[in-house]
Amino acid sequence: MSALAPLPFPVTPRRPGDPEADVARLALAHRALCDGVRLLAGAAPAEEEPLPPPRRRALAAVGRVVLREVRAHTEREDAVLWPVLAACAGAHAADLEPLVEDHAVLGELLDRAGSALAASAAGDAGQAAAVLGELAVALDEHVAEEEREVFPLLRRCVSARDLARYEAFCVRGPGLRHAAAVLPWLAGACRDDAERAGLRAVTPVPLRLLGRLTGPGWRRRTALLGT
């Protein structure tokens, strides 16, 4: 297996009897990512059917946020979550190499999808639908494997405190502007009050306020893509 990134902060593995780490917000992030890519794939034009300008602009705006967050999510896992898990799990650690390799494949697909969306925004439908469909399938498969292999180890080996530190790192994201764009997307992926409460609990108040400002525009653009 290739070397993991350095441990980002000191960790204390979960001890028997300690509360399990809550992976619900990680599952929420996965759901939002998969839903977002599928939305893009379904909204992207076929080569012979260019989108009308409002939908084309919405596809470009939503696409920038979704593709950037998928990339950021995989980079955060490689840089932070995998080293934390490996340090805490010890002999119980899973082989993370297949997931690291998946991230490399997803990175190549994200590059192609970004280029295809840029061409689509300029009026050239090209291969956007095909590339985004390929990305959606690959991401769905990767997320299913990750939740099957990694989530049980997170609950068994990683302390609730250390997973919370990772979640705080995720909330900061690639920048405040991007985080404020992502927050309404995550909120829209919540299925019940408990998930909404969990998301609020890890979101700083200033970011929540910004999310209220960005929410209407996000919902308007995604509604355009869903029609």
Side-chain angles (χ1 to χ4, degrees):
M1 176 177 172
S2 59
L4 295 174
L7 195 63
F9 47 76
V11 299
T12 302
R14 177 180 176 269
R15 297 167 300 184
D18 285 349
E20 289 187 351
D22 184 358
V23 299
R25 285 177 292 278
L26 300 185
L28 171 62
H30 284 167
R31 188 190 314 143
L33 294 176
C34 293
D35 288 350
V37 173
R38 284 194 296 267
L39 176 67
L40 296 177
E47 189 169 352
E48 67 280 4
E49 297 177 358
L51 293 177
R55 291 194 70 195
R56 190 169 69 234
R57 289 191 294 269
L59 181 65
V62 173
R64 281 192 297 270
V65 173
V66 170
L67 297 188
R68 186 180 185 191
E69 182 59 17
V70 174
R71 189 182 300 277
H73 182 88
T74 62
E75 290 173 350
R76 290 191 297 260
E77 288 183 337
D78 288 341
V80 181
L81 189 59
W82 297 164
V84 167
L85 178 59
C88 290
H92 301 293
D95 180 6
L96 299 173
E97 185 66 19
L99 299 176
V100 174
E101 292 173 354
D102 282 355
H103 286 175
V105 172
L106 289 170
E108 295 173 359
L109 285 170
L110 287 165
D111 289 341
R112 291 170 54 203
S115 297
L117 280 177
S120 177
D124 177 11
Q127 299 298 311
V131 174
L132 287 165
E134 188 177 349
L135 175 61
V137 171
L139 184 61
D140 283 346
E141 292 176 350
H142 170 73
V143 162
E145 179 183 5
E146 186 175 307
E147 294 188 354
R148 182 174 61 251
E149 299 293 334
V150 171
F151 278 17
L153 281 175
L154 290 174
R155 288 190 289 262
R156 177 179 181 181
C157 300
V158 176
S159 70
R161 179 176 179 270
D162 286 335
L163 189 61
R165 294 175 76 177
Y166 171 70
E167 290 179 331
F169 182 86
C170 292
V171 169
R172 290 195 295 272
L176 189 60
R177 182 176 180 180
H178 177 71
V182 167
L183 186 57
W185 173 19
L186 289 172
C190 291
R191 290 176 174 168
D192 53 39
D193 290 342
E195 288 191 342
R196 284 184 281 273
L199 180 60
R200 282 195 301 272
V202 298
T203 305
V205 172
L207 183 54
R208 276 187 260 163
L209 295 175
L210 281 173
R212 292 177 186 174
L213 296 177
T214 58
W218 175 263
R219 289 187 289 272
R220 183 174 61 252
R221 287 187 288 272
T222 53
L224 266 175
L225 298 183
T227 56

